[in-house]
Amino acid sequence: MSRLVNGRQPHFHQHRFRKPRSSTGIGNDGKASLLTEILSMADFSRTHPLSGFFAPTRFEADVIDCVVTGAIPSELDGAFYRMHGDWIYAPKFTDEPSLSADGYISMLRFRDGSVDYRGRYVKTDRYLRQVAARKQLYGYYRNPYSDDPEVRDIARPNLRTAANTTPVVLAGKLYATKEEGLPYEIDPNTLETRGPSDFLGSWPSLTFTAHPKFDFFTGETVAYGYESTGLATNDVHVAAFDRTGRVTWSLDFQVPYASMLHDMALTKDFVVIPGGGTVTSLERLEAGRPHWAWDSKRPSYYAIIPRGGRTEDVRIFEGPERSIVHTANAWNDGEKLVLDAPIADGNTWPWFEDVDGGAFAMNIFTIRRITFDLRSNSNKPTEDVLFDRDVTSFTRIDDRFLTRPNRYIWVQYADPDRPFHAALPEDPRVRPVNCYGRFDLVSGTDLAWFAGPDHVLQEPLFVPRTPHADEGDGYLIGTMHNLVELRTEIVILDAMKMLEIGRVILPFRNPYQVHGTWAGPRDLALT
């Protein structure tokens, strides 16, 4: 039976309404701003994108022995960790991206055919300061100049991180990560926040990527931080950790211009970090604008870094205007390096304004292959479209094949030919992401699973059936939002056949998921 722990309702972070002070809310123009004061409190009435199913949930909860339809495979012994963004207080600005929402981590503990749920906020410095002040203190995404004076810290912008992007397992510990600051260590069982980590002083960068990569063949984790020395800098720090969490190699280098370096790829010999399109500057931040804008005149670039190499060994390749948010995989055969990723020809960030004032138009992602000839004197890679279907950027593979040639890529996408009977926010950029697809890089074919007309999907992950199973032999686990029943569900598919095996039903809706990861008893000390 599904129930809340001890029969209690979830613990809601609801705050009593306080009458706004009409005499103290002073805007930048020197005029009293009653509206700003009201929106600083728990009032979401003017933030339309936060309405409906995807409105903030603002509670923590435990559910013992969740309701299940179908069956939970007995081989699944571990935890599906997910990071979410969930506003405790409404953002200051109506055009603020969801990238700034407070971090919320959830865990679905699979064991003996049953599943328990737990969800907690990540108690970052940002979260604690807001709750203590009982209002929103922070301004635009990654712009401390727009923060309230009591929290504004230009020299240490990493302190304002929301830690809301990816749950990361590194050297037997669990972290909540976001690329704008340091990771926060999380207790893997209680989900209580242990605090930020610079890995015992071995991580000098102000920032830490939300997408480090683990090499199953060597046991190394490779990570990086961009804008590593401060706001709008071109500086990048890269390092490798061994299985114990000790840094074994690091270097610092500069990219051609400051750009969002959201994800990386790893081969047996190289690190690949793609960037381009997004731009920033101190002048922009001082003017109180969001951190990023889009400049279609800027080329894309790719930093190729030899693992164990030196700064002078880093090589920069350039391509045309592109948006690469996430990578699928990469490998190298000698001096030939291949990167597979969802790639778009232009801006894919609806919140990032065009530097020339152009209206946002969504550019579609397709799965493409970038090839780098490291023997050539040319700094231009080649690009091939592998699948022309319009997909999201949230690709997953069988991670045991990271750094080596893989056959399968799983990704969710919106199929306009499928029926959709629910409702989404009235925004032309929003589409019902209703299918998971398995894309076969060898045969060039794809196989889809349709979630149904009432659901939208978020990023899946792959779990092998056994540690030594063939590539793709295992389970695809993904988050679904039931827009009609107003609840979140977790679906388990046979990853090769793309057929449903079971489903976990939560008795409430979760905030939107960003990324997830799977950890077994060998990865973390699970109870």
Side-chain angles (χ1 to χ4, degrees):
M1 180 179 70
S2 174
R3 61 182 177 87
L4 297 175
V5 168
N6 298 326
R8 297 196 304 255
Q9 292 297 314
H11 176 62
F12 284 82
H13 286 269
Q14 301 287 357
H15 304 289
R16 62 183 176 86
F17 177 77
R18 296 184 297 171
K19 185 178 180 180
R21 301 184 302 272
S22 61
S23 60
T24 58
I26 306 298
N28 293 332
D29 59 359
K31 297 180 181 179
S33 177
L34 176 60
L35 177 61
T36 298
E37 184 71 13
I38 292 173
L39 287 180
S40 294
M41 300 179 185
D43 181 353
F44 292 83
S45 62
R46 289 180 58 85
T47 50
H48 178 73
L50 305 178
S51 63
F53 187 96
F54 296 99
T57 57
R58 306 179 79 237
F59 68 84
E60 298 178 331
D62 298 85
V63 185
I64 294 176
D65 201 6
C66 297
V67 167
V68 170
T69 62
I72 303 297
S74 59
E75 297 96 339
L76 288 176
D77 180 10
F80 177 19
Y81 294 101
R82 299 177 299 153
M83 289 303 309
H84 314 255
D86 195 39
W87 299 94
I88 282 293
Y89 288 99
K92 278 189 172 187
F93 310 109
T94 56
D95 60 343
E96 174 71 336
S98 59
L99 302 173
S100 294
D102 297 282
Y104 182 97
I105 186 167
S106 66
M107 171 180 68
L108 291 121
R109 179 66 165 101
F110 288 73
R111 179 175 42 197
D112 300 327
S114 66
V115 182
D116 296 338
Y117 170 90
R118 174 164 291 152
R120 297 288 186 271
Y121 278 94
V122 182
K123 307 305 191 298
T124 61
D125 183 68
R126 177 191 185 107
Y127 173 94
L128 295 174
R129 285 174 176 262
Q130 288 182 86
V131 170
R134 303 177 75 85
K135 66 176 184 177
Q136 178 62 260
L137 299 171
Y138 297 88
Y140 276 123
Y141 171 65
R142 297 189 73 173
N143 187 349
Y145 289 95
S146 60
D147 294 345
D148 283 5
E150 60 262 45
V151 298
R152 188 179 301 146
D153 192 336
I154 306 303
R156 298 182 297 173
N158 55 320
L159 296 183
R160 69 197 300 278
T161 181
N164 64 9
T165 307
T166 309
V168 167
V169 176
L170 199 167
K173 294 181 178 180
L174 176 66
Y175 298 92
T177 66
K178 185 176 178 64
E179 64 199 50
E180 64 187 4
L182 293 177
Y184 272 72
E185 186 180 348
I186 304 295
D187 185 292
N189 296 298
T190 67
L191 299 187
E192 294 306 317
T193 303
R194 291 175 174 170
S197 176
D198 64 358
F199 303 96
L200 301 177
S202 65
W203 188 261
S205 172
L206 294 176
T207 60
F208 187 90
T209 177
H211 291 290
K213 303 297 182 185
F214 176 70
D215 187 336
F216 278 77
F217 299 93
T218 66
E220 279 189 317
T221 297
V222 178
Y224 67 97
Y226 72 96
E227 294 187 46
S228 60
T229 61
L231 288 168
T233 63
N234 295 13
D235 301 317
V236 182
H237 179 74
V238 184
F241 298 81
D242 65 15
R243 290 185 187 274
T244 69
R246 181 174 64 95
V247 172
T248 58
W249 159 75
S250 67
L251 63 76
D252 297 276
F253 73 100
Q254 289 195 323
V255 289
Y257 62 93
S259 185
M260 176 181 280
L261 308 180
H262 182 67
D263 199 0
M264 60 173 283
L266 197 63
T267 80
K268 63 184 179 66
D269 298 316
F270 298 95
V271 181
V272 185
I273 305 178
T278 51
V279 295
T280 191
S281 66
L282 279 179
E283 293 75 18
R284 176 179 178 80
L285 299 176
E286 289 169 354
R289 299 302 303 145
H291 192 95
W292 298 116
W294 187 268
D295 188 346
S296 60
K297 300 182 294 297
R298 292 280 194 164
S300 58
Y301 60 80
Y302 307 83
I304 310 293
I305 306 146
R307 293 173 66 172
R310 304 164 298 173
T311 297
E312 53 265 37
D313 300 324
V314 177
R315 187 169 175 184
I316 304 294
F317 283 73
E318 281 193 357
E321 176 192 10
R322 291 291 184 267
S323 176
I324 301 179
V325 181
H326 299 113
T327 65
N329 194 20
W331 64 92
N332 72 284
D333 181 5
E335 298 297 305
K336 178 184 177 182
L337 192 154
V338 170
L339 167 68
D340 290 344
I343 300 176
D345 292 338
N347 190 10
T348 58
W349 297 95
W351 310 290
F352 301 158
E353 62 193 7
D354 189 281
V355 295
D356 297 319
F360 174 78
M362 183 66 183
N363 289 270
I364 67 168
F365 287 105
T366 55
I367 298 175
R368 310 184 198 184
R369 174 165 293 174
I370 306 292
T371 303
F372 306 88
D373 185 351
L374 304 182
R375 298 164 299 182
S376 170
N377 291 326
S378 171
N379 70 340
K380 305 295 184 184
T382 61
E383 178 181 303
D384 298 287
V385 176
L386 302 181
F387 297 91
D388 59 7
R389 177 179 285 279
D390 173 6
V391 298
T392 71
S393 73
F394 292 86
T395 51
R396 300 303 293 256
I397 69 165
D398 183 336
D399 286 338
R400 298 173 300 161
F401 289 80
L402 200 75
T403 77
R404 301 298 194 270
N406 64 296
R407 179 168 183 171
Y408 302 110
I409 293 173
W410 290 269
V411 65
Q412 77 271 34
Y413 59 86
D415 186 341
D417 296 326
R418 305 277 189 170
F420 183 65
H421 299 158
L424 287 170
E426 294 180 6
D427 187 328
R429 301 167 299 189
V430 174
R431 299 178 300 164
V433 176
N434 52 16
C435 287
Y436 285 137
R438 177 177 62 76
F439 293 82
D440 188 329
L441 299 174
V442 174
S443 68
T445 60
D446 62 276
L447 184 62
W449 177 80
F450 173 51
D454 301 332
H455 292 73
V456 292
L457 298 170
Q458 300 203 262
E459 179 191 58
L461 60 78
F462 174 83
V463 181
R465 191 179 309 273
T466 66
H468 304 292
D470 292 339
E471 181 188 359
D473 181 13
Y475 307 103
L476 197 70
I477 304 178
T479 296
M480 307 196 303
H481 295 306
N482 187 325
L483 303 181
V484 174
E485 299 295 334
L486 302 181
R487 68 189 184 207
T488 294
E489 303 167 1
I490 309 300
V491 67
I492 302 104
L493 306 179
D494 182 304
M496 288 300 295
K497 298 177 181 178
M498 298 298 286
L499 296 175
E500 183 172 342
I501 298 171
R503 189 177 300 200
V504 181
I505 308 296
L506 296 180
F508 45 74
R509 59 184 178 87
N510 265 150
Y512 69 86
Q513 175 197 316
V514 187
H515 294 291
T517 194
W518 176 267
R522 294 183 178 182
D523 306 310
L524 294 172
L526 298 176
T527 58

